[in-house]
Amino acid sequence: MRNPIPFDTHAYVKRLTGVGVSEAQAEVQAEALADLVYGRLVTKEDLQQGLQALEQRMEQRFAEVDMRFVEIERRFGDVEKRFGDVEKRFGDIETRIAQLELRLTLRLGVMLAASMGIVAALVKLL
């Protein structure tokens, strides 16, 4: 990583020794300050790498979400097919009920007509 800001440790040491700080102490302070400054600053390259990593993670998550939507759509299609099958079965049941109602009506009509015929015959005999 290149240094994002220029920090002249030699000039810093000279400045400290100029005010009475020992050269050993000045060098240690310069190294510590350089580590602190360079360790905490973010470069443009760091930001670009972080952005690329974030974009990759987002693309991966979007791909996962897309796969889940495909699965949901498949399951929804299955449910729609089953619902269609149930509707067809209910339609068949309704048709069967209508046929049974018609047969029952015809039987009751025949029974009523026969009963009236028997009653008429009995009335004539008595």
Side-chain angles (χ1 to χ4, degrees):
M1 173 177 89
R2 72 177 174 82
N3 295 334
I5 61 171
F7 179 66
D8 188 353
T9 56
H10 180 69
Y12 185 71
V13 169
K14 282 178 68 175
R15 202 167 166 192
L16 288 177
T17 56
V19 292
V21 176
S22 73
E23 188 172 337
Q25 286 178 334
E27 286 177 359
V28 168
Q29 281 187 9
E31 286 177 19
L33 185 58
D35 289 343
L36 178 69
V37 167
Y38 295 138
R40 298 214 179 199
L41 292 179
V42 176
T43 65
K44 184 177 179 180
E45 290 83 18
D46 294 334
L47 291 174
Q48 287 174 338
Q49 288 175 353
L51 181 60
Q52 286 174 349
L54 179 62
E55 286 174 344
Q56 288 174 350
R57 285 197 321 257
M58 287 177 63
E59 286 177 10
Q60 181 182 3
R61 294 294 292 165
F62 282 138
E64 291 172 5
V65 168
D66 285 345
M67 287 179 8
R68 287 183 180 169
F69 274 126
V70 167
E71 178 63 19
I72 288 170
E73 286 176 342
R74 185 190 64 77
R75 288 184 180 183
F76 186 72
D78 291 346
V79 169
E80 283 182 318
K81 183 182 177 295
R82 288 180 183 171
F83 186 72
D85 292 345
V86 168
E87 283 183 322
K88 183 181 179 296
R89 290 175 69 193
F90 275 126
D92 293 345
I93 290 171
E94 287 177 345
T95 301
R96 183 73 176 139
I97 288 172
Q99 289 171 349
L100 291 173
E101 286 176 344
L102 179 62
R103 288 175 55 192
L104 184 60
T105 303
L106 288 174
R107 283 185 182 175
L108 286 173
V110 168
M111 288 172 53
L112 183 62
S115 298
M116 290 177 74
I118 292 172
V119 169
L122 286 175
V123 168
K124 282 188 178 184
L125 287 176
L126 296 176

